[in-house]
């Protein structure tokens, strides 16, 4: 059994919430569940339009194709097709409506199919796996500061407070084509998958995320997502905040569980 829960919040400084998320129902035929997180950008509520479009287009495309007996290759093709379709629709709408010109959104989605996880990623929203009390970042940020860290111009510590930390180098809908990163990983009983916008990770460090996610094993996934967001707001809530959690089996374990 696979479960999901999530929450999104305006934060404490933004006038509108340009984040969005979607969690599918558990598909018994496929033994699958998936979730999408999108963080929109653009003036005059265009970011909200972009993130909403991305989620709806991806949801519809995946729901049309998800079926039992899919191979890993089938799933990757389905995710890429869905994200590219969303990119085309957002880009076309931005070209047709002047008020939406330049809009775009990040997209990070994860589909868990039996014991495999598949992630499609564009932008700087993130996917993590919590396993045995350790938090592993699956995705790599498509951001200016990540590029600067990669070439050794700044350190990871400097990146956390860099004035251009919110500049992303890849987004959905800003061009007619998009490059999508794909990741595949094994999902074990007790694993907790976290998808989130940068409004969460800019406020909370990895140790803080781990502490919240492992402090109370009996919490629902939605309850844990709400706790993450509340903590980010306590730290300032300078951006919209979204957190989505997926878990294998109805009971997920915390830092003391045996994953051997």
């Amino acid at each position: 059994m696979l479960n999901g829960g999530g929450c999104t919040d305006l934060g404490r400084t933004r006038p509108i919430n340009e984040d969005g998320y979607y969690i599918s129902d558990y598909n018994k035929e496929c033994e699958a569940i998936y979730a999408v997180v999108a963080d929109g950008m653009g003036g005059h509520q265009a970011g909200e339009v972009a993130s909403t479009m991305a989620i709806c287009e991806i949801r519809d495309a995946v729901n049309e194709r998800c079926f039992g007996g899919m191979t890993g290759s089938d799933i990757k093709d389905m995710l890429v097709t869905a994200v590219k379709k969303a990119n085309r629709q957002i880009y076309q709408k931005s070209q047709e409506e002047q008020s939406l010109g330049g809009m775009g959104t990040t997209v990070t989605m994860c589909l868990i199919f039996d014991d495999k996880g598949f992630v499609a990623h564009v932008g700087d929203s993130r996917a993590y796996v919590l396993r045995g009390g350790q938090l592993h970042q699956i995705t790599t940020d498509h951001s200016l500061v990540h590029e600067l860290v990669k070439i050794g111009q700044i350190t990871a510590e400097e990146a956390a407070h860099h004035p251009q930390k919110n500049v992303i180098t890849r987004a959905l809908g800003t061009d007619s084509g998009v490059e999508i990163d794909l990741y595949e990983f094994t999902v074990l009983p007790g694993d907790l998958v976290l998808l989130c916008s940068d409004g969460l990770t800019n406020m909370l460090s990895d140790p803080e995320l781990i502490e919240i996610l492992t402090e109370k094993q009996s919490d629902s996934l939605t309850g844990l997502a709400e706790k993450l967001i509340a903590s980010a707001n306590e730290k300032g809530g300078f951006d919209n905040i979204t957190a989505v959690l997926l878990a294998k089996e109805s009971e997920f374990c915390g830092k003391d569980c045996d994953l051997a």
Side-chain angles (χ1 to χ4, degrees):
M1 182 69 177
L2 299 164
N3 295 276
C7 186
T8 187
D9 190 78
L10 183 66
R12 292 188 167 181
T13 65
R14 296 296 178 92
I16 61 171
N17 192 351
E18 296 182 313
D19 281 8
Y21 76 92
Y22 172 77
I23 305 170
S24 74
D25 293 331
Y26 173 60
N27 187 317
K28 292 182 180 179
E29 179 188 0
C30 297
E31 295 185 39
I33 192 171
Y34 71 92
V36 187
V37 167
D39 178 358
M41 61 183 186
H44 306 291
Q45 301 186 5
E48 184 181 22
V49 173
S51 61
T52 300
M53 286 186 66
I55 290 167
C56 291
E57 294 289 345
I58 291 170
R59 177 199 64 200
D60 292 347
V62 172
N63 288 349
E64 286 176 3
R65 291 187 58 185
C66 191
F67 55 90
M70 296 182 75
T71 66
S73 179
D74 293 333
I75 293 171
K76 291 176 183 178
D77 178 69
M78 177 180 66
L79 298 186
V80 168
T81 299
V83 175
K84 286 187 174 181
K85 177 187 174 186
N87 183 77
R88 288 194 302 270
Q89 295 297 324
I90 296 168
Y91 180 72
Q92 182 178 340
K93 192 171 185 67
S94 73
Q95 298 299 299
E96 293 171 349
E97 298 187 30
Q98 186 176 0
S99 64
L100 301 177
M103 71 174 176
T105 183
T106 71
V107 166
T108 301
M109 67 177 299
C110 178
L111 186 148
I112 300 177
F113 186 90
D114 194 16
D115 63 348
K116 292 292 183 182
F118 299 87
V119 171
H121 168 66
V122 179
D124 66 351
S125 296
R126 293 179 178 176
Y128 294 89
V129 172
L130 179 73
R131 177 179 296 169
Q134 294 186 334
L135 193 65
H136 307 274
Q137 184 174 335
I138 299 172
T139 54
T140 297
D141 292 349
H142 302 139
S143 66
L144 176 61
V145 293
H146 174 75
E147 295 299 325
L148 294 176
V149 170
K150 191 163 64 172
I151 64 176
Q153 190 167 330
I154 62 173
T155 65
E157 291 74 21
E158 290 171 332
H161 306 286
H162 197 278
Q164 293 178 297
K165 66 182 297 183
N166 294 322
V167 177
I168 60 176
T169 56
R170 203 186 301 178
L172 212 64
T174 56
D175 204 340
S176 58
V178 65
E179 183 180 354
I180 303 159
D181 286 355
L182 289 174
Y183 304 87
E184 179 180 348
F185 60 100
T186 299
V187 181
L188 303 179
D191 281 359
L192 198 56
V193 176
L194 169 65
L195 307 180
C196 60
S197 63
D198 66 342
L200 183 73
T201 52
N202 283 341
M203 294 292 99
L204 301 179
S205 66
D206 284 6
E208 289 170 326
L209 293 172
I210 293 169
E211 182 179 1
I212 294 167
L213 292 173
T214 58
E215 67 182 2
K216 213 170 190 181
Q217 297 182 23
S218 61
D219 271 341
S220 69
L221 295 179
T222 299
L224 281 176
E226 290 171 346
K227 284 187 175 183
L228 290 170
I229 287 174
S231 184
N233 273 324
E234 288 173 5
K235 291 294 187 73
F238 298 136
D239 198 354
N240 307 144
I241 315 161
T242 300
V244 169
L245 295 162
L246 300 175
K248 187 176 176 67
E249 299 184 349
S250 59
E251 295 293 327
F252 55 92
C253 50
K255 56 187 175 185
D256 297 323
C257 68
D258 182 9
L259 294 175

